[in-house]
Amino acid sequence: MKVTKAIIPAAGLGTRMLPATKTVPKEMLPLVDKPVIQYIIEEAVASGIEDILIVTNRAKSAMDDYFDYTPELEDRLLRAGKTAELEAVRRTAELANIFYVRQRETKGLGHAVFRARNFVGDEPFAVLLGDDVMMADKPVTGQLIAAAEKYGASCVGTQRVSPDAISLYSSLKIEPLEERVFRVSDMNEKPRPHEKFSDYAILGRYVLTREIFDILADTEPGHGGEIQLTDGLKRLCKVSPMVAVDFEGRRYDTGNLAGFLEATIDFALKNDEISPFLTEFIRNKAKTL
Ligand code: UTP
């Protein structure tokens, strides 16, 4: 099993970040010096992905512009001798083979993934949610691909969340296979406390096999009237092997303000240029709080 294709669903409406996301896609909000989606594409590339399909909608054309050349700007940077800036700008257009498909109606994550069926063909593929950013030494998608390949299975990324938080996620029914890897036998989306299987939540990364498309094709709308990927995965894990990887790394949900701010601070503290200033600023600020 070799995984070289990835889908980034990025067609959500971003209602938790309004009004900022009224005209700017949430995936294009800057995390320090790059838009959110660039971190996700860089993770995919570092995990061995070559072809990436971004699921967009009519309000998100800023994304395809961003991953294209900008001749006038590049020419100006070249003539001004701004080579570092020129390289940074060129690099965004050369990160990977990036393709786009529109989700014409916002009918849920499962529906968005289904839009990728022709792109994927028969190969297993990765899914990286467009607003979930990871900070990890080993790219998180790569950690999932390794487990999917080892077990010949589909794979979901997981981490343990607090008992109070699990109702915001999909809860997994799992048994341990080895350190950090579990066999998945069931799951449920946004469970009420008595419905949860465990506090292990699916968090933003998946490696899936082609069977998911046949399943999604006849999955009825579920929670929130949308076609939920979890409802499809629940059926997938019953007909073919699925594992979960308790991945090493920290996940940030940049689709809500608190997660976005946490990510901004943590990535800024990792950035050599801005970190000395920010550390000093935070120290001084903390004294006044
Ligand atoms: P979210 O629920 O986090 O995104 O979906 P959202 O719908 O934009 O969030 P709100 O409006 O603030 O609650 C998880 C992922 O699925 C994508 C989103 O773009 C995000 O990456 N998605 C969601 C789609 O591509 N299409 C959909 O119909 C729904």
Side-chain angles (χ1 to χ4, degrees):
M1 178 195 271
K2 194 165 185 318
V3 183
T4 60
K5 290 187 177 177
I7 306 172
I8 302 181
L13 297 178
T15 55
R16 288 167 298 159
M17 294 286 274
L18 285 171
T21 50
K22 185 178 166 191
T23 53
V24 179
K26 63 178 167 178
E27 298 79 8
M28 289 303 295
L29 295 176
L31 258 189
V32 191
D33 56 352
K34 294 183 286 196
V36 164
I37 194 154
Q38 187 168 343
Y39 290 84
I40 294 167
I41 288 188
E42 286 173 351
E43 176 194 325
V45 171
S47 304
I49 299 295
E50 293 163 11
D51 299 317
I52 297 173
L53 179 75
I54 306 180
V55 185
T56 66
N57 65 26
R58 62 187 72 82
K60 304 228 178 184
S61 43
M63 276 191 282
D64 33 323
D65 291 343
Y66 183 79
F67 294 111
D68 197 355
Y69 290 131
T70 42
E72 198 185 340
L73 172 65
E74 288 168 33
D75 186 50
R76 182 71 64 91
L77 293 171
L78 182 68
R79 280 190 283 122
K82 297 195 168 182
T83 42
E85 289 84 348
L86 179 62
E87 265 170 40
V89 163
R90 288 287 291 190
R91 200 174 148 263
T92 60
E94 295 169 350
L95 285 170
N97 302 320
I98 303 181
F99 304 84
Y100 305 88
V101 65
R102 281 192 179 181
Q103 185 188 20
R104 288 186 292 263
E105 293 171 278
T106 314
K107 286 187 173 172
L109 178 56
H111 183 259
V113 169
F114 189 69
R115 294 289 293 145
R117 69 195 181 288
N118 292 340
F119 167 80
V120 160
D122 289 333
E123 298 167 38
F125 59 99
V127 179
L128 296 85
L129 297 193
D131 52 1
D132 271 349
V133 174
M134 304 290 180
M135 185 183 279
D137 293 335
K138 284 188 257 170
V140 172
T141 298
Q143 297 178 42
L144 268 63
I145 291 174
E149 286 175 349
K150 178 168 176 187
Y151 290 95
S154 50
C155 182
V156 295
T158 188
Q159 280 185 342
R160 198 176 198 150
V161 299
S162 74
D164 294 339
I166 191 68
S167 61
L168 302 171
Y169 298 95
S170 296
S171 163
L172 288 172
K173 186 173 181 187
I174 48 174
E175 289 156 50
L177 283 171
E178 61 174 287
E179 203 185 345
R180 293 189 168 272
V181 185
F182 304 87
R183 170 83 57 206
V184 178
S185 57
D186 208 347
M187 65 187 70
N188 50 15
E189 168 86 6
K190 301 197 167 63
R192 285 174 287 182
H194 64 279
E195 294 167 336
K196 72 174 180 185
F197 289 118
S198 71
D199 291 328
Y200 280 91
I202 301 181
L203 295 178
R205 298 292 184 266
Y206 314 76
V207 175
L208 302 177
T209 50
R210 208 200 175 314
E211 291 121 299
I212 191 68
F213 295 118
D214 298 332
I215 292 174
L216 287 173
D218 73 343
T219 297
E220 294 293 320
H223 192 91
E226 297 191 331
I227 297 178
Q228 296 293 343
L229 182 60
T230 302
D231 292 343
L233 296 178
K234 187 180 171 77
R235 288 169 60 194
L236 182 65
C237 75
K238 294 189 176 159
V239 294
S240 74
M242 182 182 292
V243 296
V245 170
D246 180 0
F247 59 83
E248 291 176 66
R250 163 109 206 241
R251 169 245 182 201
Y252 302 86
D253 175 5
T254 64
N256 74 71
L257 198 50
F260 182 80
L261 291 174
E262 281 174 346
T264 300
I265 292 170
D266 278 356
F267 279 94
L269 288 172
K270 278 229 151 194
N271 179 303
D272 291 342
E273 248 173 69
I274 204 72
S275 163
F277 157 79
L278 185 64
T279 308
E280 191 59 19
F281 176 79
I282 292 173
R283 282 211 182 101
N284 291 333
K285 194 81 196 164
K287 288 180 201 151
T288 69
L289 296 175

